[in-house]
Amino acid sequence: MPGRKVCLVLLAALVTSGAALPQSAIRYDAASRVWQLSAGEMTYEIGVNDQNGLQTMYWGPRLEGPSTLASAKSYPEAASFDASLSTTPLEYAAWGDGLPTQPALKISFPDGNRSLILDYLDSKQTDGPNGDRLEITLRDRLAEVYVHLFYKVYAPGILARWSQIENRTKAVITVEQAASATLNLPPSTSYELSSLSGRWGAEWQLQTVALVPGHNVLESRRGSTSHQSNPWLAIGRTGETTETAGPVWFGELGWSGSWQIDVEQTFSHRIKITGGYNTFDFSYPLAPGQLLNTPIFYVGYTSKGHGEASRILHHFQQQQILPGAPRPKPRPIIYNSWEATEFNVDEAGQLALAEKAASLGVERMVIDDGWFGQRATDHAGLGDWYVNQTKFPNGLKPVIDRVHQLGMDFGIWVEPEMINPDSDLYRKHPDWAMSFPGRPRTEARNQLVLNLARDDVKQFILSFLDKLVSENDIAFLKWDYNRNWSEPGWDAVPLPEQKEIYVRYIDNLYNVLAELRKRHPKLEIESCSGGGGRVDLGILRYTDEVWPSDNTDALDRLSIQDGFSHAYTPGVMVAWVTDVPNFLDRRNIPLQFRFTVAMTGALGIGSDVTKWTADESSLATRLLAFYKTIRSTVQQGALYRLVAPEANEQSALEYVAEDGHQAVLFAFLHSQHYGEPFQTVRAKGLEPAALYKVNPLDPAKATGLPQQMTGSELMGLGLSLHLIGDYDSTAIVFEKVERK
């Protein structure tokens, strides 16, 4: 069976605002056999050592000029228990020769041999305007097994790494473990690991722990990225690394299936990061001549703290990853009908919501679940993607036409990868549902997972989506995915190939998304998985935005969105204003607080707007108009987390436009104690000598502020804001004044 390739869309070189940054470059010194890969303020060095192994030599602050390092040299053994293989920081070690640490690759041969020793074979380099790329080929010492390691550098500081395993033997071999890359940090006892964990409704919780000898494993075994852990990490130094200063080594994996990042501190206090496919229940047979490509692992380094690490990732995602890169379109303000109607959608009700939403200034109307098949509850209908004639007797066209007349475009909810047992599709194709024959199967939300690894399922999904979009003027799909895998069986293929489901399902998902966008170039897509269950740099190559959490409580969202921003650009972070009391926490939060929290991402509304009072509608209209004046700065600017919301009654953040002409500061007070005033907030990222006009959203909350201030004053003296009581918030815009 042919190996599946992860689609690589390598676009224009990264450009950021402000001062010019060092460009990406790859240099090779033939005498020492050392490669120096530089991007932004980072240099990564590798070399061929005296044992003909590929060895990590350096990863840290940028080194200027040709490398002065000597040739790589393997490390001596520490004892008979820890041979040179244990102590040497190998770039991509296979399991063999007694390797005791985490391998990047493990293979079984037909004769029972499971040992692999990878030696350097050759390399080739491609230089170009899209960034420099290096391919290094390793070969097993005895068998015709080859590993191609790929490196691509991007200014201002991202290195992309992935691998390709090639079988040139005359028999089928089985890949049991395949990493995209291994990364080695210098020895130290003061490293700390930051990661993002959580659960449904409480995603994106930032965790920081000291690294000690042993393994910290970040992973998903769920078939998708997961709410519980996201494939992002950052490593700093305890007592040295903060939000604004100190070294940070960071990275994220571009894969939407089961994944694993193993962070190991070895006995010699060296940090070894190995990331790629999850090893749990994994195997992938390779016939002679076949290939297996691993996901891309994107990594970087900065000396300027966690905030700068985030900004590097945000710029990289906006300009290299997202559809429309390097200039992805600003996200429109959406109205989504789910919380207003749930499954009780019909033509009259949706039109009433659309009329009201348009009057407020909304730009996109989205009909959520309930419009198709026999969908009255979540017990039936998934898989039957035809318009429900009872709810929409004239089809979707009258609604879409009216939405367009109101000046909005139209979007719709779909869940293509799922099936209800109570559906025509299941009755026709029960074998399409993922299961282990003869074993109990698990339903979640009364649904099963379609086996998208099957090409007939892939074709069905692509066909019905293409038909839906072609026959209706649909600008946007909210693509949902509401459960994890439970029985990943695939008995339609021979037993050795059944575990390929973990790779082929995701490859087919990417293929459907890519082909759908190719056929409909103007179509935009949101990745949703019961909230933040499928957010990663793999799915973001094909989707314009993501739904970070089903929890829309504004207070919870402060922490959820703060955590999200460590790994992903706010430009893709959909944030809704919804009704109170919130379904999860039962809190009543004022409408302006809910709006200002949502305005720190891609703003949307999910409330039943037909029930808003005149005052609420007037406030919403004013705030939507305000958001449109700052949208490009929020969605595409540089984010500065000024006061973190975790365990803090106050929080603040600031966005600075790419060209520096505008900045906007948001401040939040969720509760006040002892009459304590809101702390002085100091801006960041402004030009010290520039003059800025200060435009507060609420002048009463910014009394005493000068109408104009210099960048140095805003960053040095700061701002005193008059936020009081519970759930108070404001925003202040700084507009650069052109001096005469």
Side-chain angles (χ1 to χ4, degrees), residues 83-94:
S84 176
L85 190 69
S86 303
T87 60
T88 302
L90 294 175
E91 183 74 354
Y92 196 91

Side-chain angles (χ1 to χ4, degrees), residues 6 104 166 169 176 214 222 295 336 350 371 392 421 435 439 487 510 556 559 561 592 614 646 650 657 663 702 707 720:
V6 177
E166 180 183 6
T169 73
E176 297 179 348
R222 296 168 177 259
N336 183 285
Q350 295 299 304
W371 60 269
F392 298 93
S435 67
R439 299 291 302 170
E487 290 84 28
Y510 292 162
D556 286 350
S559 293
Q561 294 176 184
Q592 177 157 324
E646 287 76 23
Q650 304 175 4
Q707 292 185 348
S720 296

Side-chain angles (χ1 to χ4, degrees), residues 433-473:
M434 204 180 285
S435 67
F436 289 125
R439 299 291 302 170
R441 71 181 186 200
T442 304
E443 292 183 20
R445 203 174 181 250
N446 307 297
Q447 62 196 53
L448 302 170
V449 184
L450 286 171
N451 183 1
L452 185 50
R454 296 176 58 125
D455 286 339
D456 50 2
V457 172
K458 180 185 78 169
Q459 188 56 48
F460 166 77
I461 292 175
L462 177 60
S463 295
F464 92 71
L465 288 171
D466 182 41
K467 183 174 185 290
L468 177 66
V469 176
S470 297
E471 294 180 354
N472 301 279
D473 193 348

Side-chain angles (χ1 to χ4, degrees), residues 50-69:
D50 52 307
Q51 301 295 320
N52 206 35
L54 192 65
Q55 181 174 328
T56 309
M57 301 178 67
Y58 176 84
W59 183 22
R62 188 177 180 114
L63 305 176
E64 297 296 343
S67 173
T68 59
L69 296 179

Side-chain angles (χ1 to χ4, degrees), residues 340-511:
T341 63
E342 295 193 352
F343 294 105
N344 298 318
V345 298
D346 58 30
E347 181 176 314
Q350 295 299 304
L351 286 175
L353 290 167
E355 298 271 357
K356 180 65 175 181
S359 73
L360 301 172
V362 168
E363 298 159 322
R364 172 171 288 166
M365 172 71 188
V366 181
I367 295 180
D368 210 277
D369 196 354
W371 60 269
F372 57 92
Q374 300 306 306
R375 188 74 163 169
T377 68
D378 62 12
H379 287 72
L382 281 177
D384 300 338
W385 297 103
Y386 58 85
V387 178
N388 184 296
Q389 292 298 304
T390 301
K391 297 179 179 184
F392 298 93
N394 302 302
L396 294 174
K397 189 176 187 305
V399 177
I400 296 174
D401 287 347
R402 181 57 182 152
V403 165
H404 290 161
Q405 290 170 6
L406 292 167
M408 300 183 292
D409 65 25
F410 180 79
I412 202 162
W413 180 96
V414 291
E415 193 170 5
E417 300 157 77
M418 300 294 164
I419 187 171
N420 285 126
D422 185 4
S423 67
D424 295 338
L425 182 66
Y426 183 80
R427 287 182 278 272
K428 184 178 181 181
H429 293 291
D431 54 320
W432 283 9
M434 204 180 285
S435 67
F436 289 125
R439 299 291 302 170
R441 71 181 186 200
T442 304
E443 292 183 20
R445 203 174 181 250
N446 307 297
Q447 62 196 53
L448 302 170
V449 184
L450 286 171
N451 183 1
L452 185 50
R454 296 176 58 125
D455 286 339
D456 50 2
V457 172
K458 180 185 78 169
Q459 188 56 48
F460 166 77
I461 292 175
L462 177 60
S463 295
F464 92 71
L465 288 171
D466 182 41
K467 183 174 185 290
L468 177 66
V469 176
S470 297
E471 294 180 354
N472 301 279
D473 193 348
I474 292 174
F476 172 81
L477 295 177
K478 183 177 175 69
W479 185 306
D480 215 338
Y481 179 91
N482 275 312
R483 61 157 294 178
N484 298 131
W485 295 11
S486 51
E487 290 84 28
W490 187 11
D491 64 330
V493 298
L495 182 63
E497 299 171 10
Q498 290 183 13
K499 291 183 182 179
E500 289 184 16
I501 191 171
Y502 289 102
V503 177
R504 294 188 58 197
Y505 182 108
I506 305 303
D507 284 344
N508 278 353
L509 170 64
Y510 292 162
N511 182 273

Side-chain angles (χ1 to χ4, degrees), residues 37 39-44 58-63 154 156-159 183 185-186 191 233-237 240-241 245-251 298-306 308-310 312-313:
L37 299 86
E41 60 171 303
M42 170 185 70
T43 290
Y44 189 90
Y58 176 84
W59 183 22
R62 188 177 180 114
L63 305 176
Y154 300 86
I158 294 293
L159 169 65
L183 300 137
L185 274 65
Y191 286 119
L233 80 163
I235 295 177
R237 285 204 173 102
E240 184 179 352
T241 302
V248 183
W249 293 263
F250 58 92
Y298 302 92
V299 301
Y301 168 85
T302 179
S303 62
K304 300 171 185 173
H306 290 290
E308 184 66 13
S310 297
I312 291 171
L313 283 171

